[in-house]
C-alpha cells in the first residue's frame, strides 16, 4: 500500500438532517486529506440532500439519491460499489470523527500491514459521555458471540482483500459485513484510541435492543445458515456476552 492511499468514506443517510452537517464537517476537518466522501440518501424527506449539496468540496461526491427507501445495507453497498479508494471507511450520519482519526488509522494499518481495523470510541448523549474500550483484536469465532465493533470506527483494505459487501437485511447488516470481511482477513485489530464520537439518542436503533432479538436470531439462522436449534443456542450465547460487554462498559 502506498503511503497516502485514497480512503473512500461510506455514509448512509435517512432523514439525518439534524446531525448530518456535524458528520460531514468532521470529515472535512480531517488532517488526512486524501479521501472521497460518498453519501447515499435513502429517500429522505427532511432536507438532507440540500445539506449535502451545499458543500463545494470536490472530494464530496454528488450524493446517490434513492427513489424509495431501501435500508442501510442497500445504501452502504451502493456506496461501496462507487468507491475508488484503496481503503474503505464507514461513518454513520449521526456520528462524527476526531480530526486525526483517518491519519492515525491509515498509519496504523500501513505500519502493521493490517487489512481490517477499528478503534475505541466516545459514546455520548445529552446526559452522559464515556470512553468505550474495545477488544484488542477479534476473530470470526469471537465475533460469532457478539458484535464487538462499532461501524463508524471501521476501515478495511479493499485493494488487498477486495470489496466486501453487507448482507441485504434491515438490521444487523453491519455485523454481517464484519463477518464477511473476516472470511478474508483472519483478524480485525483495534487502534486503542477513542477517535470516533458515537451518538446515543432516542431515534438510534441501538436503543431498541428487545426489538432486535428477532433480528439477531434471523442473523444466525438466515444469514449465517445455522439451524433453528443452533440459532437459539447462539442467541443465548449472544445475550450472555452482550451483558458482559455492557457491564464492562459501565465499570
Amino acid at each position: 500500500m502506498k503511503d497516502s492511499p485514497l480512503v473512500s468514506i461510506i455514509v448512509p443517510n435517512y432523514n439525518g438532517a439534524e446531525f448530518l452537517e456535524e458528520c460531514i464537517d468532521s470529515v472535512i476537518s480531517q488532517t488526512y486529506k486524501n479521501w472521497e466522501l460518498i453519501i447515499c440518501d435513502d429517500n429522505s424527506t427532511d432536507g438532507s440532500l440540500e445539506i449535502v449539496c451545499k458543500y463545494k468540496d470536490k472530494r464530496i461526491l454528488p450524493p446517490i439519491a434513492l427513489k424509495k427507501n431501501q435500508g442501510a445495507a442497500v445504501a452502504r453497498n451502493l456506496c461501496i460499489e462507487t468507491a475508488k479508494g484503496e481503503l474503505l471507511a464507514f461513518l454513520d450520519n449521526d456520528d462524527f470523527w476526531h480530526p486525526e482519526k483517518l491519519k492515525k488509522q491509515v498509519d496504523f494499518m500501513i505500519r502493521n500491514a493490517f487489512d481490517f481495523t477499528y478503534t475505541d470510541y466516545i459514546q455520548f448523549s445529552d446526559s452522559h459521555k464515556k470512553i468505550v474500550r474495545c477488544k484488542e483484536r477479534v476473530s470470526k469465532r469471537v465475533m460469532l458471540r457478539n458484535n464487538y465493533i462499532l461501524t463508524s470506527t471501521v476501515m478495511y483494505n479493499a485493494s488487498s482483500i477486495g470489496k466486501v459487501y453487507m448482507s441485504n437485511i434491515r438490521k444487523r447488516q453491519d455485523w454481517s459485513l464484519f463477518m464477511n470481511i473476516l472470511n478474508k482477513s483472519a483478524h480485525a485489530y483495534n487502534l486503542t484510541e477513542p477517535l470516533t464520537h458515537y451518538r446515543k439518542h432516542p431515534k438510534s436503533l441501538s436503543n431498541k435492543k428487545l426489538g432486535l432479538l428477532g433480528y439477531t436470531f434471523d442473523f444466525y439462522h438466515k444469514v449465517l445458515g445455522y439451524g433453528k436449534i443452533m440459532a437459539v443456542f447462539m442467541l443465548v450465547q449472544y445475550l450472555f456476552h452482550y451483558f458482559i460487554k455492557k457491564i464492562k462498559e459501565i465499570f
Side-chain angles (χ1 to χ4, degrees):
M1 190 192 309
K2 60 187 179 183
D3 290 340
S4 299
L6 177 65
V7 179
S8 296
I9 302 162
I10 308 302
V11 177
N13 178 73
Y14 175 65
N15 287 343
E18 183 177 3
F19 306 117
L20 185 58
E21 191 168 0
E22 186 174 22
C23 170
I24 296 172
D25 287 347
S26 78
V27 175
I28 294 173
S29 298
Q30 292 297 301
T31 58
Y32 188 88
K33 302 302 182 183
N34 191 22
W35 52 262
E36 61 175 6
L37 176 58
I38 309 169
I39 299 171
C40 183
D41 185 80
D42 199 10
N43 197 230
S44 294
T45 58
D46 66 347
S48 291
L49 278 175
E50 288 79 358
I51 291 174
V52 178
C53 292
K54 80 174 186 178
Y55 288 91
K56 304 306 178 185
D57 193 313
K58 293 182 179 179
R59 296 171 296 178
I60 302 175
L61 276 58
I64 302 168
L66 300 182
K67 300 301 182 183
K68 64 177 181 178
N69 183 266
Q70 299 185 57
V74 171
R76 288 193 181 107
N77 284 341
L78 287 171
C79 292
I80 293 171
E81 284 183 16
T82 302
K84 295 182 174 62
E86 295 177 61
L87 300 175
L88 270 63
F90 296 83
L91 178 59
D92 284 350
N93 63 354
D94 50 358
D95 298 337
F96 63 93
W97 285 340
H98 184 282
E100 290 191 285
K101 194 265 188 186
L102 287 183
K103 172 63 176 173
K104 289 187 174 184
Q105 196 164 7
V106 170
D107 288 348
F108 179 63
M109 293 181 72
I110 292 174
R111 184 171 64 252
N112 297 286
F114 291 154
D115 286 331
F116 184 13
T117 64
Y118 54 100
T119 76
D120 292 338
Y121 57 93
I122 297 170
Q123 179 178 297
F124 72 101
S125 68
D126 293 337
S127 60
H128 83 287
K129 181 179 180 179
K130 65 180 179 182
I131 294 175
V132 177
R133 300 294 184 183
C134 301
K135 288 182 176 291
E136 183 176 349
R137 72 174 187 176
V138 295
S139 64
K140 185 174 181 179
R141 180 179 61 82
V142 171
M143 285 289 286
L144 277 172
R145 302 172 190 162
N146 208 285
N147 183 6
Y148 294 101
I149 300 175
L150 180 70
T151 306
S152 291
T153 72
V154 165
M155 186 181 292
Y156 78 84
N157 188 342
S159 68
S160 175
I161 64 176
K163 288 185 177 181
V164 183
Y165 295 86
M166 296 184 168
S167 299
N168 188 10
I169 50 179
R170 280 281 177 172
K171 308 290 189 300
R172 304 304 193 201
Q173 67 274 354
D174 52 350
W175 197 1
S176 77
L177 172 68
F178 308 150
M179 297 298 288
N180 291 338
I181 298 173
L182 287 168
N183 283 330
K184 298 186 174 187
S185 175
H187 294 92
Y189 297 89
N190 181 26
L191 171 56
T192 56
E193 293 187 48
L195 300 173
T196 295
H197 290 75
Y198 167 56
R199 190 187 310 270
K200 294 274 285 186
H201 56 89
K203 294 180 182 178
S204 62
L205 287 176
S206 55
N207 282 328
K208 304 172 183 177
K209 294 298 184 185
L210 288 177
L212 287 173
L213 286 179
Y215 290 105
T216 304
F217 172 83
D218 286 344
F219 173 75
Y220 286 121
H221 178 48
K222 297 179 180 179
V223 176
L224 298 184
Y226 289 105
K228 290 184 178 180
I229 294 175
M230 180 58 73
V232 170
F233 173 80
M234 297 299 292
L235 179 60
V236 172
Q237 179 179 252
Y238 163 85
L239 289 171
F240 174 76
H241 289 285
Y242 170 78
F243 287 118
I244 289 177
K245 182 171 71 171
K246 289 303 175 184
I247 290 171
K248 288 182 178 179
E249 288 179 7
I250 293 171
F251 296 102

